[in-house]
Amino acid sequence: MNPRSLYSIEQLGEDDILKILRTARFFEQAPNQDFLQGKVAATLFFEPSTRTRLSFETAVNRLRGRVIGFQDPKNSSSVKGESLYDTIRMVSNYADIIIMRHFLEGAAKYASEVTDVPVINAGDGANQHPSQTLLDLYSIAATQGTLSDLTVTMVGDLKYGRTVHSLISGLSHFSPKFIFVAPEQLALPDEYVGYCDEHGIPADYTNDLSPEVINATDILYMTRVQRERFTDEEDYEAIKNAFVLRASMLEDAKENMRILHPLPRVGEIAMDVDHTPHAYYFTQAQNGLYIREALICRGLGIEVD
């Protein structure tokens, strides 16, 4: 395993996180650099992606590297029965770093264990999404001026939402308070309820996105109900619109409250919210470029001053 692989946000301590955020700030000011001259990055996406894949590939291009890989497993030898082990070993012969999204939880960690090439987890099932967490932290710091002592409300699919699971861990270093809002079917798994208890993180649990909840919030983290995680279409239809955020619900929100969303949105944020000063999700997605430039440099052992 390469020690610079990143398969879980839990690999990073507070100092690691802050260093990555500082590096991302550098790239926000100067995104075009020559750090990856002669380097090749492989993007292996066994699950669909728009923002994550394009921002990683843009990051490589901005740093003057080259990209190989696939965005659809149907275009890879996995359809012929090739194992993940063989795919990773084979791609390791061609690339200096591997960026991988996979539908199986733990796939990124497994991939990092079978190669010395650094692996970055771009999402593994309902488990982790560390690069998303880091861009979320970057966005929180940019909008609030701090990461510490904030009330963060997470809404929607807390059961399968890997971005939620990773963000709980990432924020645990900064004394947060969480409010978890979800229907019973998509409630936060016991594993993460226990995580908050073990780390002394105050948390409230509700199925009501009430004015009291919104008005107490510094960061409102909306998520979509993930259709692809359901085996029964009727179950999905029953709860897909459990929470819909509208501009009228924000009238008494804190002035500096900001709305984040890992995107894509479906119907959980009405379009009229886009025109409020609280909407930040599109800039949040832009921040992903700078974080992923920082992570690629970190994975390759490139020190950025």
Side-chain angles (χ1 to χ4, degrees):
M1 175 189 292
N2 189 301
R4 293 188 296 271
S5 287
L6 180 61
Y7 53 82
S8 170
I9 193 68
E10 293 179 12
Q11 294 174 261
L12 304 176
E14 179 179 347
D15 290 343
D16 301 315
I17 289 171
L18 294 177
K19 181 177 180 180
I20 291 168
L21 300 192
R22 287 194 297 270
T23 305
R25 177 62 178 164
F26 166 80
F27 284 123
E28 181 176 3
Q29 297 169 343
N32 298 318
Q33 302 292 331
D34 294 331
F35 294 141
L36 297 192
Q37 285 279 8
K39 300 292 186 183
V40 175
T43 54
L44 312 182
F45 278 73
F46 294 86
E47 263 193 334
S49 172
T50 301
R51 278 149 298 279
T52 302
R53 181 180 62 84
L54 290 179
S55 60
F56 264 120
E57 293 185 355
T58 301
V60 175
N61 285 311
R62 291 280 187 188
L63 297 174
R64 304 292 188 266
R66 294 185 177 273
V67 178
I68 62 172
F70 55 83
Q71 57 179 301
D72 186 341
K74 293 177 182 177
N75 297 327
S76 75
S77 289
S78 63
V79 298
K80 303 174 184 177
E82 183 176 66
S83 67
L84 180 59
Y85 174 87
D86 284 2
T87 298
I88 296 301
R89 291 296 302 272
M90 180 272 298
V91 173
S92 298
N93 294 324
Y94 309 141
D96 299 288
I97 190 168
I98 294 172
I99 299 154
M100 187 179 83
R101 169 170 289 189
H102 203 280
F103 50 85
L104 291 178
E105 297 181 18
K109 182 178 181 182
Y110 173 76
S112 71
E113 291 171 345
V114 301
T115 178
D116 290 330
V117 172
V119 175
I120 298 178
N121 183 5
D124 59 334
N127 183 33
Q128 287 265 338
H129 199 343
S131 69
Q132 178 70 45
T133 297
L134 288 161
L135 76 89
D136 292 342
L137 293 174
Y138 188 81
S139 299
I140 292 170
T143 61
Q144 304 301 308
T146 183
L147 287 171
S148 298
D149 302 307
L150 298 173
T151 297
V152 178
T153 297
M154 300 187 181
V155 183
D157 184 353
L158 309 187
K159 180 178 181 179
Y160 300 110
R162 59 192 172 203
T163 62
V164 168
H165 302 161
S166 292
L167 188 55
I168 291 170
S169 178
L171 276 170
S172 66
H173 305 284
F174 304 101
S175 303
K177 175 187 177 182
F178 290 126
I179 303 175
F180 296 111
V181 184
E184 182 179 351
Q185 303 95 315
L186 296 176
L188 190 70
D190 290 343
E191 172 187 354
Y192 296 99
V193 173
Y195 184 95
C196 290
D197 290 342
E198 291 166 14
H199 288 78
I201 301 172
D204 295 331
Y205 303 86
T206 180
N207 59 5
D208 183 13
L209 185 58
S210 66
E212 291 75 20
V213 167
I214 293 174
N215 298 344
T217 296
D218 297 303
I219 292 293
L220 185 59
Y221 196 89
M222 299 294 296
T223 68
R224 71 184 174 93
V225 177
Q226 300 179 70
R227 186 175 205 156
E228 62 271 25
R229 307 297 179 200
F230 285 77
T231 56
D232 189 320
E233 183 70 17
E234 289 186 5
D235 290 344
Y236 168 75
E237 290 292 333
I239 60 173
K240 68 177 183 179
N241 294 320
F243 304 107
V244 179
L245 184 68
R246 305 184 188 282
S248 59
M249 300 166 67
L250 306 173
E251 292 177 355
D252 296 319
K254 294 181 181 181
E255 182 178 352
N256 202 43
M257 188 273 279
R258 292 295 180 267
I259 302 161
L260 304 186
H261 192 309
L263 301 176
R265 68 172 165 185
V266 182
E268 61 279 355
I269 299 178
M271 299 290 282
D272 60 1
V273 175
D274 296 358
H275 306 293
T276 72
H278 302 290
Y280 192 77
Y281 26 89
F282 293 121
T283 304
Q284 175 191 3
Q286 180 180 345
N287 291 339
L289 170 62
Y290 316 129
I291 282 291
R292 285 160 180 146
E293 286 187 285
L295 288 179
I296 290 167
C297 288
R298 175 186 179 275
L300 292 170
I302 298 169
E303 287 294 330
V304 179
D305 185 359

